[in-house]
């Protein structure tokens, strides 16, 4: 990006500014606006304007540097994501999902769980009655009267 800096015509430089168009062969005649600035007040104001413009250019350059770094960081991140997506093994992931689905399908459903609970409860009651009636051989006799 080319910088355009303001120029100040000093009394030593009496030539009029040259236009930037290559089609113009002869320089334009000097006008009152291009006359050299000799008043100290105008020179002081012009120098303040130039200093302010320089500060603005510095801020712009800092912002441009920050944005350039951010853009570079974004580019690096995009390349990392692209590389990670390129190395993913979709067939292996598909196989893992299939095996997980098979394991989930092999787990008992609600009906099986209720039936198991009922059978367990009935067997527990029968065994408890048998132990109370006949006792545990070698430990204690039956607790229920015959």
């Amino acid at each position: 990006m080319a910088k355009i800096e303001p120029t100040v015509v000093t009394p030593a430089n009496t030539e009029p500014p040259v236009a930037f168009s290559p089609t113009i062969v002869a320089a334009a005649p000097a006008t009152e606006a291009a006359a050299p600035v000799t008043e100290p007040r105008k020179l002081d104001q012009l120098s303040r304007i130039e200093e302010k413009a320089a500060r603005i250019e510095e801020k712009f350059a800092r912002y441009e540097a920050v944005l350039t770094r951010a853009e570079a960081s974004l580019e690096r991140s995009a390349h990392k994501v692209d590389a990670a997506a390129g190395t993913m093994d979709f067939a292996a992931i598909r196989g893992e999902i299939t095996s997980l689905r098979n394991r989930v399908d092999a787990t008992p459903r609600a009906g099986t769980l209720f039936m198991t609970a009922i059978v367990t409860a009935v067997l527990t009651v029968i065994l408890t009655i048998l132990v109370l009636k006949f006792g545990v051989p070698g430990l204690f006799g039956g607790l229920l009267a015959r």
Side-chain angles (χ1 to χ4, degrees):
M1 189 177 264
K3 284 188 176 180
I4 300 173
E5 296 187 11
T7 57
V8 179
V9 180
T10 60
N13 187 4
T14 56
E15 298 176 6
V18 179
F20 290 109
S21 175
T23 58
I24 299 176
V25 177
T31 61
E32 277 188 31
V37 178
T38 56
E39 293 183 28
R41 183 174 173 203
K42 288 183 180 179
L43 284 176
D44 187 40
Q45 185 179 10
L46 191 57
S47 67
R48 283 196 309 266
I49 291 171
E50 285 178 342
E51 288 174 6
K52 189 175 273 191
R55 285 194 305 268
I56 291 171
E57 284 179 1
E58 289 173 7
K59 283 184 182 180
F60 177 75
R62 284 195 302 267
Y63 287 132
E64 189 176 25
V66 166
L67 289 175
T68 303
R69 286 194 306 268
E71 183 182 8
S73 175
L74 214 64
E75 279 292 321
R76 284 192 307 271
S77 298
H79 286 298
K80 286 180 183 178
V81 168
D82 189 35
T87 59
M88 290 182 75
D89 187 11
F90 292 109
I93 293 173
R94 192 176 300 119
E96 288 290 326
I97 290 174
T98 304
S99 67
L100 183 62
R101 180 172 289 135
N102 291 338
R103 285 180 62 191
V104 167
D105 289 341
T107 57
R109 300 287 186 242
T112 307
L113 292 175
F114 285 133
M115 183 58 94
T116 305
I118 291 170
V119 169
T120 303
V122 169
L123 286 176
T124 303
V125 167
I126 292 172
L127 288 174
T128 304
I129 291 172
L130 288 174
V131 166
L132 288 175
K133 189 170 192 174
F134 297 109
V136 178
L139 291 177
F140 59 89
L143 298 175
L144 295 176
R146 293 185 198 190

